[in-house]
Amino acid sequence: MEICGLAVSATQRGKLISAGYTSLSSLSSVSPSDLARDLQTSESQATEILKAASHCGRLDKSDGGHAIVAGAQTAWDMLHEEDLSRRITTSCADLDKILGGGIACKEVTEIGGVPGIGKTQLGIQLAVNVQIPVDFGGLGGKAIYIDTEGSFMAERALQIAEARVEDMSEYHDFVRKNFQVCQVQMQPQDFLKNIFYFRVCSYTEQIAVINYLEKFISEHNDVKVVIIDSVTFHFRQDFEDMALRTRLLSGMALKLMKLANKCRLAVVLLNQVTTKYSDGSFHLTLALGDSWSHACTNRVILYWNGNERYAYIDKSPSLRSTSAPYSVTGKGVRDSASNSKRIKMM
Amino acid sequence: MANKLLSEMGLPKSIANVFTARNLLTARDVLSLTEFELMEVLDVGLAEVKSAVAQVSEIACPAYQTVSILLEQQIKNEYYSGHLPTHLKGLDEVLCGGIPFGVLTELVGPAGVGKTQFCMKLSLLASLPATFGGLDGRVIYIDVESKFSSRRIIEIGVNSFPELFRMEGMAQEMAGRILVLQPASLAEFTESLQQLKVSLLQHEVKLLVIDSMTALVSGELEQGPPKQHPLGWHISFIKSLAEFSRIPVVVTNQVRSQSRNEVSQYCFQAQSRDETIEGSATFDSHLVPALGIHWAHAVTIRLVLEANSGERFMKLAKSPISPPLVFPFNITSCGISLLSDTGVEMTGPQINTIRNQGNSDIINIHSTRF
């Protein structure tokens, strides 16, 4: 591996090259004091360089096979962990079914669709549903809602939370017949208190929020879902340098993925649609281009099929491509009224 | 926040000086670069860059609120809980009080269906004193298509609020509160929008009407798929205007007929096999909003006005708080009025289709004569 990939500042890299250290292997057997003399820098700086070099080297050798790599996890452990972690329900049984039980933690899920199909509704619903207490089969977490479009309506969140409380008290009555548990009855206000709302007004702020999230989450425990509504808005307006856009977007995607993994939470990105010209005709496709479509783990497309709203799994490493109907009612996202059972296999 | 100066962020002196020396002055400059690029440009180590970026991000990040506080503030601070009543009873009910403050409301429909009538009625309502259910403020009306008629506004006023308009000088005062701008080009429009930002707050403007967004760009939209939307900047600017001045913004949009080679609005590439054929066959006789899907994402409330077999319908096609509803309406000397205050719920994508067959019988009579 070349020295150019090393995470050191430009002057130090220049010094390294001029002193003849052009590859990582040439750094592997040199002592800090020798290096400091060759580069004419302090010994502490030389130690820093060697640290960075050994860090790079370790990643390089990771294909060695027998060595157990630091930070890795076996597939068996991952399976076990996945079984233990709960998913966030969408309040629509069919949708949950095709999603394998709901929105998964430690994954980035992108949801896109035409205007008015219910993206924001689904976002608010998830922000409320993540708070269903553990006793009721939920996660008992908190939600971060990052609003870039200004389409979040507090009144609507209240409506959805009220409907949720109603549903829960029904369940509560049902459970009480068997056990004397669950005296924690949540009020709609409690739901609203646990949604942290960020209003973002430019792409710089969007990046800033995402950078800051890790710290924010460490200060506020139990955040289980981060919803960005929509990830697209600021990147679609007023952006001349498309290369910069791609760079910023991929940086953002990486940070979100890291966050999802590290803090064990679900990241839900809402995306808009755009028209794409291919094969001599216009198609609708999710916005932000082809390189962005690699950024998320799961991709769900919402669309109209006749008179019904449908969700379609467009991309997922573990779920099959199926579609399922859902509906948006006064109470929030619910099962489709006309067919409750049928799921069409594509 | 994005243009916040680095020098005011309290970064460690040594690194703050390096940023200044490289001409990275604002949060935007710094956050547009990756950590690796920053190391290159600034010539400092990874750890310093990381801590600096973290600090810049934290400061540039907007403050958060919990939704319950948000709701409390809305109830406390804004009279009429942030809505401009349309005085159309059914519509006001489903929209929780009228056209909401702080977001974009769009009226889309074919020519002559009543978009401008609706806009003029709303301008009048916003200028009325609070005792008559108005907002008692000024109105800025950006009349791109030169269709604004002050005579008609007074007529609507006299007919809907006779007791108020009969008072001496009241008509003059009400009409005096409506400021009409008539930009002739996109550049002029852009300029007046920028000037508005300041005057909205200074002069107690309570409503911004733009009639219409489409006229200025209709020429440019027709050729090919544009890489960037010609109104991209305007869309985000108008949205932020609405947000920061907390006023309702009403925008109209024209329609165009859908070209045959365009796939139906509601099908995706992935599902295009079976549904598209059926979909495009039924939809291609219909009209679509002139500003495309990009714009449709930006509006919060979309009202579709359409005419069908002599009747006019108002369809609430997109709203975060109401199910899709259809109201029949007509246009009288009082402006727009609903024929029924209970909307009919409409499922499926028909809510977005725009019909315009209102004049066909008249035109047919003429054509048979020749």
Side-chain angles (χ1 to χ4, degrees), chain A residues 10-11 121 149 156 192-193 195 197 199 205 211 215 220 237 239 247 272-273 282 284 306-307 312, chain B residues 1 37 40 43 57-58 64-68 228 232-233 239 243 263 265 268 271 297 320 349-350:
Chain A
T11 357
Q121 301 294 321
E149 301 189 14
R156 182 64 182 148
L192 299 189
K193 265 180 210 148
I195 304 175
Y197 173 83
R199 175 74 177 97
E205 282 184 23
N211 285 341
K215 192 172 174 206
H220 298 78
Q237 334 281 349
F239 230 100
R247 234 172 26 241
Q272 305 179 340
V273 296
F282 289 93
L284 283 184
N307 286 343
Y312 171 76
Chain B
M1 292 285 218
E37 284 171 321
E40 197 72 21
D43 192 15
S57 298
E58 190 173 342
Y64 79 93
Q65 285 171 311
T66 67
V67 174
S68 62
Q228 284 270 296
W233 178 86
K239 263 189 99 104
E243 176 99 15
V263 174
Q265 286 272 323
F268 267 100
Q271 290 90 42
H297 276 297
Q350 281 96 335

Side-chain angles (χ1 to χ4, degrees), chain B residues 185-201:
Chain B
S185 68
L186 192 57
E188 228 174 278
F189 177 58
T190 312
E191 199 179 308
S192 46
L193 273 184
Q194 274 162 338
Q195 288 168 356
L196 277 184
K197 195 173 184 174
V198 190
S199 50
L200 282 184
L201 291 172

Side-chain angles (χ1 to χ4, degrees), chain B residues 69-81:
Chain B
I69 292 174
L70 205 68
L71 197 66
E72 258 171 51
Q73 281 177 346
Q74 276 178 16
I75 293 166
K76 236 185 267 169
N77 295 349
E78 291 159 18
Y79 52 102
Y80 287 118
S81 60

Side-chain angles (χ1 to χ4, degrees), chain B residues 18-334:
Chain B
V18 182
F19 274 113
T20 324
R22 296 299 179 278
N23 207 21
L24 296 174
L25 302 177
T26 64
R28 175 189 295 254
D29 296 338
V30 175
L31 294 177
S32 298
L33 296 170
T34 63
E35 280 165 7
F36 221 81
E37 284 171 321
L38 279 175
M39 282 171 58
E40 197 72 21
V41 174
L42 301 179
D43 192 15
V44 294
L46 185 62
E48 283 106 323
V49 167
K50 268 195 172 157
S51 76
V53 168
Q55 197 169 345
V56 170
S57 298
E58 190 173 342
I59 294 170
C61 172
Y64 79 93
Q65 285 171 311
T66 67
V67 174
S68 62
I69 292 174
L70 205 68
L71 197 66
E72 258 171 51
Q73 281 177 346
Q74 276 178 16
I75 293 166
K76 236 185 267 169
N77 295 349
E78 291 159 18
Y79 52 102
Y80 287 118
S81 60
H83 292 91
L84 163 64
T86 59
H87 285 239
L88 304 174
K89 207 168 143 233
L91 193 63
D92 282 350
E93 258 166 37
V94 296
L95 290 178
C96 295
I99 310 280
F101 288 8
V103 297
L104 294 190
T105 301
E106 181 196 20
L107 302 173
V108 57
V113 78
K115 300 187 295 295
T116 304
Q117 295 295 323
F118 202 167
C119 288
M120 292 198 291
K121 174 102 188 227
L122 287 175
S123 329
L124 185 78
L125 289 173
S127 66
L128 288 180
T131 46
F132 285 84
L135 297 178
D136 206 4
R138 285 201 171 82
V139 176
I140 292 187
Y141 195 107
I142 302 184
D143 180 26
V144 179
E145 301 178 351
S146 301
K147 282 179 187 158
F148 183 85
S149 153
S150 24
R151 190 180 298 274
R152 175 71 178 138
I153 285 243
I154 302 289
E155 188 192 338
I156 295 174
V158 170
N159 287 304
S160 352
F161 303 97
E163 62 277 34
L164 178 70
F165 275 78
R166 244 178 262 137
M167 275 189 262
E168 191 65 32
M170 245 358 213
Q172 192 191 344
E173 194 183 333
M174 291 301 114
R177 288 179 176 178
I178 302 173
L179 312 168
V180 183
L181 279 169
Q182 295 189 323
S185 68
L186 192 57
E188 228 174 278
F189 177 58
T190 312
E191 199 179 308
S192 46
L193 273 184
Q194 274 162 338
Q195 288 168 356
L196 277 184
K197 195 173 184 174
V198 190
S199 50
L200 282 184
L201 291 172
Q202 280 174 347
H203 300 290
E204 285 194 36
V205 174
K206 294 289 186 190
L207 174 69
L208 173 66
V209 179
I210 301 172
D211 181 20
S212 69
M213 277 298 269
T214 330
L216 290 174
V217 284
S218 48
E220 293 165 56
L221 272 178
E222 273 157 27
Q223 334 126 359
K227 188 74 184 158
Q228 284 270 296
H229 202 284
L231 286 175
W233 178 86
H234 301 82
I235 292 171
S236 53
F237 189 79
I238 294 168
K239 263 189 99 104
S240 67
L241 267 187
E243 176 99 15
F244 288 113
S245 47
R246 296 299 304 171
I247 58 165
V249 175
V250 177
V251 177
T252 66
N253 188 359
Q254 301 170 344
V255 295
R256 65 186 169 91
S257 48
Q258 193 169 34
S259 4
R260 200 164 271 277
N261 63 348
E262 263 176 271
V263 174
S264 152
Q265 286 272 323
Y266 307 102
C267 292
F268 267 100
Q269 238 166 332
Q271 290 90 42
S272 55
R273 275 150 297 159
D274 46 353
E275 290 134 25
T276 317
I277 306 142
E278 173 196 14
S280 56
T282 46
F283 286 159
D284 84 340
S285 60
H286 283 296
L287 301 166
V288 295
L291 294 175
I293 204 136
H294 183 177
W295 163 257
H297 276 297
V299 299
T300 305
I301 292 179
R302 167 172 267 186
L303 281 168
V304 174
L305 308 182
E306 64 164 14
N308 186 29
S309 49
E311 284 179 71
R312 294 170 199 238
F313 297 96
M314 183 187 293
K315 301 197 286 194
L316 189 54
K318 181 185 179 190
S319 158
I321 43 177
S322 160
L325 292 171
V326 186
F327 298 96
F329 75 97
N330 67 356
I331 294 175
T332 63
S333 56
C334 312

Side-chain angles (χ1 to χ4, degrees), chain A residues 178-194:
Chain A
N178 303 322
F179 312 99
Q180 290 292 331
V181 284
C182 318
Q183 49 292 81
V184 260
Q185 184 64 317
M186 281 180 90
Q187 295 303 312
Q189 279 300 329
D190 300 334
F191 276 104
L192 299 189
K193 265 180 210 148
N194 288 334

Side-chain angles (χ1 to χ4, degrees), chain B residues 4-20:
Chain B
K4 193 156 184 168
L5 290 176
L6 280 186
S7 51
E8 288 165 16
M9 287 191 183
L11 288 172
K13 249 246 151 74
S14 55
I15 198 150
N17 289 338
V18 182
F19 274 113
T20 324

